[in-house]
Amino acid sequence: MKRLIPFILVILAGCNQQAPDSVEGSLPGHPYAIPRFDDSTSFSTLEKAFPVIDRLFVTYAERNHLPSISYGIIAGGRLVHSLSIGTANIEKGIPSSERTLYRIASMSKSFTAMAILKLRDEGKLSLRDPVEKCIGEMANAGRLTADASPVTILDLMTMSSGLPEDNPWADRQLDDTDEELLEVLRKGLSWSNVPGVNYEYSNLGFAMLGRIITLVSGKPFQKYITENILRPLGMNDTGYEYGDMHEEQLAPGYQWSNGTWNGVPLLHDGSYGSIGGMISSVEDFSRYVALHLDAWPPRDDAENGPVRRSTIREMQQPWRFSSLASTARDGRGEPCPNVTGYGYGLAWRKDCRGIVRIGHSGGLPGFGSAWQIYPDYGIGIVSFANNTYAGTTNINTIALDSLVAVGNLRPRALATSSILRQRLEEIIEILPGWKEEQTAIFADNFFQDESVEIRRATAQRIFDEAGQVIRIHEPVPLNQLRGSVIIECERRNIRVSITLNPEREALIQQLDIRSTARQD
């Protein structure tokens, strides 16, 4: 019973205990090895792919009857290439350019999400807050079942509020007033599911997020996003109300019908602008793409964005599973399954090659757009078109794959941390003998899990079968505290893999030694 008393006291104290004074040098435990590109000049090879990608977009525009399309490639923190095709304003005969302003539709959502996270980081809201805590009218929204949990801000951010997919309806609500949005809530809502269970794309949910930004910040969400995200990034031409744009830069929307382009009236800005009302250009939007690329890799550099790099990486994570495309194919038509998820106003995908793609598409009457990044490769793309629901996600992906292939790009390589390299060198030094006194590098579980006698016998057998050691290869890290090394021998190779524990000394808690065939 005496042993339980300290434990009980800790429970009673909870998290209100005063933290001990920090000890100088106690953090971090070991230096972080920053992942880097093997070839620091690799982006210079992208130029070889630009003519190929230009032809792809020209063909795409012709086949899909696009009045105009403008696209840009982002790498190394800047717009490295752009091409604008066609006529942005047919009536006035104005060609498109990288400064042409297009309504970017649902690409607006990640700005809304970023604004919510900025307010969260400032301690002004919690993602776990029930929506009705901010928007009182949600108290009238009703629930699908008596045991349904209240809708939270996090549910809205991750498209898991239980509201139904509403693209056709919401596309026509952009210019609704705040009062019209609130009246929808006052009358009660229809639900397709309970909150927090399934992914289902809800524009109404992001309209509510816009309202939350307005209420919490004390200014219209458009003004808050402009002042706190757009202008700090230098996105000076980007905004929400088309009446505020330079008319010569603005691309009207069109729809291809009966062999001709017909104009689609632009809606003014309103309470649903947070779902898809933003207007931007390739030149401006490239700065936002560069911001998302700059979040990688994690590092100690000073912060210079409107939100922290960790916040941007948080946005990009797949917080809600979306789909498994088991029959998907790549740009060459080869089978390549992928899995998708939804982050905070961003879509996430990982394909059979292990390539992660992050971004968002946009579609409205008169417009279609998309942007994507391959964060592990440091490249991104954005494209805008002014034809109804002109989906550009697929052509963007083909373009990024072409950059990787033609530019011979390799993903950012994980470096071996100093402590991982040290422990690998130390374990190789004592193999296969396992001298009793050489135990300081092991965690306390190590010889409890398997005795030194068994480990010695196993290692000796593997080394005897492999023959004389020829050379030891460079370590291959899986992360900062886990990795392996190949010992090349005359008959077979030996792979030594270790996992370090979380204590400050980072000792070896797990070891795997196995014989593998030589790769001559």
Side-chain angles (χ1 to χ4, degrees):
M1 189 65 183
K2 290 181 179 179
R3 295 182 62 189
L4 293 178
I5 294 175
F7 176 75
I8 294 171
L9 290 176
V10 170
I11 294 295
L12 292 175
C15 294
N16 294 320
Q17 300 178 85
Q18 184 175 355
D21 294 335
S22 61
V23 179
E24 185 177 358
S26 64
L27 294 174
H30 296 282
Y32 171 65
I34 302 175
R36 302 184 186 280
F37 294 114
D38 289 336
D39 181 2
S40 61
T41 64
S42 62
F43 291 140
S44 64
T45 64
L46 296 179
E47 294 182 3
K48 296 186 295 184
F50 295 160
V52 175
I53 298 172
D54 286 348
R55 289 194 296 272
L56 287 172
F57 273 90
V58 168
T59 301
Y60 182 81
E62 292 173 350
R63 289 179 177 174
N64 291 276
H65 305 289
L66 304 182
S68 70
I69 188 169
S70 184
Y71 90 91
I73 294 170
I74 299 91
R78 64 187 181 90
L79 180 66
V80 296
H81 178 72
S82 66
L83 179 69
S84 298
I85 303 160
T87 305
N89 189 317
I90 295 174
E91 290 75 21
K92 295 185 177 181
I94 301 175
S96 64
S97 76
E98 65 182 27
R99 296 199 63 194
T100 297
L101 295 167
Y102 295 82
R103 180 153 264 166
I104 67 173
S106 287
M107 288 169 58
S108 311
K109 287 184 170 68
S110 65
F111 291 88
T112 301
M114 184 176 285
I116 288 285
L117 291 171
K118 184 173 179 64
L119 292 169
R120 188 277 312 270
D121 290 349
E122 294 169 352
K124 296 177 181 177
L125 58 79
S126 167
L127 298 189
R128 298 290 178 179
D129 284 341
V131 175
E132 63 185 68
K133 178 179 178 180
C134 300
I135 306 176
E137 289 78 1
M138 268 295 284
N140 299 325
R143 298 185 184 184
L144 186 63
T145 64
D147 66 352
S149 60
V151 179
T152 66
I153 294 175
L154 180 64
D155 293 331
L156 300 183
M157 295 267 279
T158 57
M159 300 292 187
S160 53
S161 64
L163 290 167
E165 186 278 319
D166 58 359
N167 282 320
W169 170 78
D171 287 351
R172 304 294 182 174
Q173 314 301 318
L174 282 185
D175 59 354
D176 279 11
T177 64
D178 290 345
E179 182 59 29
E180 287 173 320
L181 169 61
L182 296 177
E183 187 61 20
V184 170
L185 305 183
R186 291 191 194 104
K187 290 179 177 179
L189 300 175
S190 294
W191 304 90
S192 61
N193 216 320
V194 295
V197 174
N198 288 335
Y199 166 86
E200 190 163 1
Y201 196 88
S202 171
N203 288 285
L204 176 59
F206 265 75
M208 285 190 264
L209 290 175
R211 181 63 180 168
I212 291 170
I213 296 168
T214 297
L215 293 171
V216 174
S217 70
K219 59 184 66 176
F221 70 82
Q222 299 94 329
K223 183 176 177 63
Y224 182 83
I225 290 172
T226 298
E227 292 177 351
N228 290 276
I229 299 174
L230 300 181
R231 296 302 177 259
L233 287 176
M235 298 176 67
N236 298 320
D237 290 338
T238 300
Y240 288 87
E241 172 52 49
Y242 75 83
D244 296 335
M245 304 295 172
H246 295 294
E247 189 174 348
E248 298 301 304
Q249 282 183 256
L250 186 65
Y254 297 96
Q255 181 167 348
W256 179 258
S257 179
N258 297 322
T260 187
W261 287 301
N262 299 296
V264 177
L266 280 166
L267 294 177
H268 285 285
D269 182 36
S271 61
Y272 283 73
S274 55
I275 77 169
M278 188 174 282
I279 298 168
S280 189
S281 67
V282 164
E283 181 182 73
D284 257 20
F285 201 89
S286 66
R287 295 178 172 88
Y288 185 65
V289 177
L291 175 72
H292 278 268
L293 286 169
D294 186 59
W296 298 96
R299 58 197 187 277
D300 295 330
D301 298 357
E303 301 279 2
N304 54 18
V307 296
R308 297 192 296 255
R309 291 190 296 271
S310 60
T311 296
I312 295 172
R313 294 193 295 270
E314 180 185 352
M315 288 180 66
Q316 296 174 358
Q317 300 308 300
W319 294 109
R320 178 63 62 182
F321 170 76
S322 175
S323 67
L324 169 64
S326 59
T327 60
R329 295 179 178 272
D330 61 21
R332 298 170 298 176
E334 298 296 325
C336 188
N338 64 70
V339 62
T340 61
Y342 202 79
Y344 299 154
L346 291 172
W348 176 96
R349 187 191 76 161
K350 190 170 188 177
D351 66 20
C352 66
R353 302 166 297 176
I355 293 180
V356 170
R357 185 188 80 191
I358 297 162
H360 212 287
S361 61
L364 279 171
F367 298 95
S369 55
W371 72 279
Q372 291 116 291
I373 60 171
Y374 282 4
D376 294 335
Y377 290 81
I379 56 175
I381 190 169
V382 56
S383 58
F384 302 140
N386 56 338
N387 194 25
T388 295
Y389 303 126
T392 62
T393 298
N394 288 341
I395 188 65
N396 278 6
T397 301
I398 293 172
L400 289 177
D401 287 344
S402 297
L403 286 175
V404 171
V406 179
N408 195 31
L409 300 185
R410 296 291 181 268
R412 193 180 280 107
L414 182 63
T416 304
S417 67
S418 58
I419 186 60
L420 179 61
R421 181 180 293 274
Q422 177 185 330
R423 295 293 185 238
L424 282 168
E425 290 174 352
E426 289 169 337
I427 190 65
I428 290 172
E429 181 68 23
I430 68 173
L431 289 175
W434 290 100
K435 295 179 181 178
E436 293 284 357
E437 64 271 16
Q438 295 173 318
T439 60
I441 64 173
F442 300 107
D444 54 12
N445 70 287
F446 191 78
F447 290 113
Q448 295 175 16
D449 296 341
E450 193 167 50
S451 70
V452 66
E453 291 79 14
I454 294 176
R455 290 186 184 275
R456 182 186 295 120
T458 301
Q460 191 67 61
R461 175 180 54 78
I462 292 173
F463 272 76
D464 288 346
E465 290 174 354
Q468 184 177 350
V469 173
I470 298 174
R471 68 187 179 104
I472 299 172
H473 291 227
E474 272 294 302
V476 178
L478 289 178
N479 56 37
Q480 300 290 305
L481 300 177
R482 176 177 289 174
S484 63
V485 66
I486 293 292
I487 303 174
E488 186 178 338
C489 302
E490 59 180 337
R491 290 188 292 275
R492 293 181 66 80
N493 289 345
I494 301 171
R495 180 187 297 276
V496 177
S497 303
I498 63 172
T499 300
L500 308 184
N501 77 346
E503 292 180 299
R504 178 175 171 79
E505 294 302 315
L507 302 172
I508 298 173
Q509 62 171 312
Q510 188 173 21
L511 169 69
D512 180 70
I513 308 172
R514 63 183 59 196
S515 176
T516 65
R518 280 178 55 95
Q519 302 294 321
D520 294 325

